[in-house]
Amino acid sequence: MQLDRLVNFHKTVGDKTRLRIIGLLKEGPLHGQAIAGKLGLTPPTISHHITKLKEIDVIVQRRDKNTIYYHLNERKLSLLASAITKLGDEEMNTEFQVSDEEKLKVLSNFFDDNGQLKSIPAQLKKRLIVLEHIIKGLEPGKSYPEPKINEHIKKYHEDFATIRREFIMHHFMTRDKGYYELNPRELWLI
Amino acid sequence: MQLDRLVNFHKTVGDKTRLRIIGLLKEGPLHGQAIAGKLGLTPPTISHHITKLKEIDVIVQRRDKNTIYYHLNERKLSLLASAITKLGDEEMNTEFQVSDEEKLKVLSNFFDDNGQLKSIPAQLKKRLIVLEHIIKGLEPGKSYPEPKINEHIKKYHEDFATIRREFIMHHFMTRDKGYYELNPRELWLI
DNA sequence: AATCTAATTAGATTATTATCTAATAAGGGG
DNA sequence: CCCCTTATTAGATAATAATCTAATTAGATT
């Protein structure tokens, strides 16, 4: 983590309009015109701010027909926000990317020899690794009815409801009228 | 916590020079010329930045003869840094000031009827409340030899070494050649 | 009082940036 | 293929702010 990146994060976020956008997107994704309307600004202005927020990775987007929906990446936001308290620490360099080794280690700790999840990790970082592993068995672009999703999760752990909820909460998938679909990888919080 | 204050925090901290100052002060207090020297900038420039950092409460100062030492308030820094992840939450409004009621509640939980500290709180916020209570029996401006400090702490808890260390760590007091002295209240992290 | 040191203020320069209007691009649907 | 909607780019304007030099203030010591 280089200093300039941290400077840029705070510079970007140190703007009333952009903080208001972040506040809005915490409630859920919105498209450009909707944001412009809610903030009383013009679409080009929003475009300008969204570009900056995307540059620091706290916003990702998903297209639906003509409309682009902007999502807040809360995990990135929180990692970047706390970096300032770790200025100079060694830890600073490692926290932003989870290495493959680390993932393997967590997976081997939480799954038994039959591939069953022994318990749901309490720590967010580890929980995301486990969720990523489970969701990999599903197909991108395909639409699944709820029972299919439950069935898939039950292959790993009996508490399918909790895990299904986590999938939604951390933007691994989207639910629409009882059907579930994987989100594009950029929306995953890992 | 109003939005403008948060904007101002990030705007202030979103500057390379100011982040470098924060990084330097994490190692310990420094005076203006020292900072200017280490960063290769002129004293007026440092003065300018220090003023801004004081405005957001992240730096406090202490005068010694002609020289002013600037200290980093790490607790404020970390509270402000994490505020962005709580945008819109109710919690945002409460976290910044510890109310007297809350202090009383913590004190009655951690001290027994004879005024003895039952245990050292693990949670930082509570530990600071307890430390503040214990240090109140000492006199500002007076210089104490180490045994006097130990004796004072032992009236509350047997583990005087740990508590004495916490006093230093959280800037309640300063040690100089085996003598201890209370810091001015503005340096306390509570 | 005179002097030394450290800090701050004043004023100027230069660079950055938030916002707008107008124009253009991109993608879908009739 | 033309029209509609949404998003982006271009260009202009006005405001903010980082840094410097020079001048001033503040405290302490001789």
Side-chain angles (χ1 to χ4, degrees):
Chain A
M1 173 81 167
Q2 58 286 17
L3 192 58
D4 285 323
R5 189 171 168 209
L6 189 54
V7 171
N8 201 41
F9 165 72
H10 288 290
K11 217 187 270 284
T12 300
V13 131
D15 174 275
K16 192 166 186 171
T17 302
R18 291 194 280 266
L19 274 193
R20 293 212 288 156
I21 292 175
I22 289 175
L24 281 178
L25 294 187
K26 256 197 94 176
E27 310 300 313
L30 288 173
H31 62 278
Q33 315 255 346
I35 299 173
K38 279 174 192 276
L39 298 187
L41 295 168
T42 62
T45 301
I46 301 306
S47 207
H48 168 71
H49 292 299
I50 293 280
T51 302
K52 301 223 162 211
L53 290 167
K54 281 193 296 193
E55 274 165 16
I56 59 169
D57 275 350
V58 304
I59 282 188
V60 292
Q61 66 182 45
R62 191 188 187 191
R63 174 154 225 139
D64 181 37
K65 314 221 195 246
N66 246 332
T67 309
I68 296 175
Y69 288 92
Y70 303 103
H71 299 242
L72 185 62
N73 186 336
E74 296 196 50
R75 182 166 160 76
K76 262 291 171 31
L77 178 63
S78 121
L79 285 174
L80 283 162
S82 64
I84 193 175
T85 66
K86 309 195 180 82
L87 265 180
D89 291 10
E90 261 321 305
E91 197 191 345
M92 257 187 99
N93 305 311
T94 62
E95 178 135 24
F96 278 76
Q97 194 78 347
V98 183
S99 71
D100 286 348
E101 290 134 286
E102 195 176 352
K103 286 186 186 179
L104 281 175
K105 201 172 149 208
V106 171
L107 292 178
S108 80
N109 281 338
F110 279 91
F111 287 90
D112 67 18
D113 297 339
N114 301 319
Q116 299 285 306
L117 180 61
K118 293 188 276 187
S119 70
I120 301 175
Q123 218 181 300
L124 176 61
K125 196 171 175 181
K126 295 178 182 170
R127 207 158 64 243
L128 288 170
I129 294 170
V130 164
L131 289 171
E132 187 191 29
H133 176 74
I134 295 180
I135 211 167
K136 275 186 174 157
L138 297 173
E139 228 176 285
K142 198 169 154 187
S143 185
Y144 295 91
E146 182 160 316
K148 285 284 179 198
I149 294 289
N150 296 345
E151 194 181 302
H152 175 77
I153 300 174
K154 268 191 278 189
K155 286 190 291 195
Y156 299 93
H157 195 272
E158 55 174 358
D159 188 359
F160 58 86
T162 296
I163 293 177
R164 202 187 54 214
R165 202 179 319 118
E166 292 268 330
F167 278 151
I168 302 297
M169 188 183 319
H170 297 114
H171 304 111
F172 286 92
M173 45 169 57
T174 308
R175 174 166 73 180
D176 189 26
K177 308 187 193 68
Y179 280 78
Y180 292 74
E181 192 170 325
L182 254 65
N183 280 330
R185 271 230 48 145
E186 315 88 68
L187 292 189
W188 299 6
L189 298 186
I190 187 166
Chain B
M1 175 80 168
Q2 56 286 17
L3 191 58
D4 286 322
R5 189 171 168 208
L6 190 53
V7 171
N8 201 42
F9 165 71
H10 289 290
K11 218 188 270 283
T12 301
V13 130
D15 176 275
K16 192 165 186 171
T17 303
R18 291 195 279 266
L19 273 193
R20 292 213 286 158
I21 291 176
I22 289 175
L24 281 178
L25 294 186
K26 258 197 93 174
E27 311 300 313
L30 288 173
H31 62 277
Q33 314 254 347
I35 299 173
K38 279 176 193 274
L39 298 187
L41 294 168
T42 62
T45 301
I46 302 304
S47 207
H48 168 73
H49 291 300
I50 294 279
T51 302
K52 301 224 162 211
L53 289 167
K54 281 193 296 195
E55 275 165 17
I56 59 168
D57 275 349
V58 155
I59 282 188
V60 291
Q61 66 182 46
R62 190 188 188 189
R63 173 155 227 139
D64 182 36
K65 309 212 195 265
N66 248 329
T67 309
I68 296 175
Y69 289 92
Y70 302 102
H71 300 243
L72 186 61
N73 185 336
E74 297 197 48
R75 183 168 159 73
K76 261 293 170 32
L77 178 62
S78 119
L79 285 174
L80 283 163
S82 64
I84 193 176
T85 67
K86 308 195 181 81
L87 265 180
D89 291 10
E90 260 322 306
E91 197 191 344
M92 257 188 99
N93 304 310
T94 64
E95 179 135 21
F96 279 76
Q97 193 77 345
V98 183
S99 72
D100 286 349
E101 289 135 287
E102 195 176 352
K103 285 187 185 178
L104 281 176
K105 201 173 150 206
V106 171
L107 292 178
S108 81
N109 281 337
F110 278 92
F111 287 90
D112 67 19
D113 297 339
N114 300 320
Q116 299 286 305
L117 180 62
K118 293 188 276 188
S119 70
I120 301 175
Q123 218 181 298
L124 176 59
K125 195 172 176 181
K126 294 178 181 169
R127 205 156 67 243
L128 289 170
I129 293 171
V130 163
L131 289 171
E132 187 191 31
H133 176 75
I134 295 180
I135 210 167
K136 275 188 173 155
L138 297 173
E139 228 176 285
K142 198 169 155 188
S143 185
Y144 296 90
E146 182 159 316
K148 285 284 179 197
I149 294 289
N150 296 345
E151 194 180 301
H152 175 78
I153 299 174
K154 268 191 279 188
K155 285 189 291 193
Y156 299 93
H157 195 271
E158 55 174 358
D159 187 359
F160 57 85
T162 296
I163 293 177
R164 202 187 55 215
R165 202 179 321 116
E166 293 268 331
F167 278 151
I168 302 296
M169 188 184 319
H170 298 114
H171 305 110
F172 285 93
M173 44 169 58
T174 309
R175 175 165 73 181
D176 189 26
K177 307 186 193 68
Y179 280 78
Y180 291 74
E181 193 170 325
L182 254 64
N183 281 330
R185 271 232 45 149
E186 316 86 70
L187 291 189
W188 300 5
L189 297 186
I190 188 167

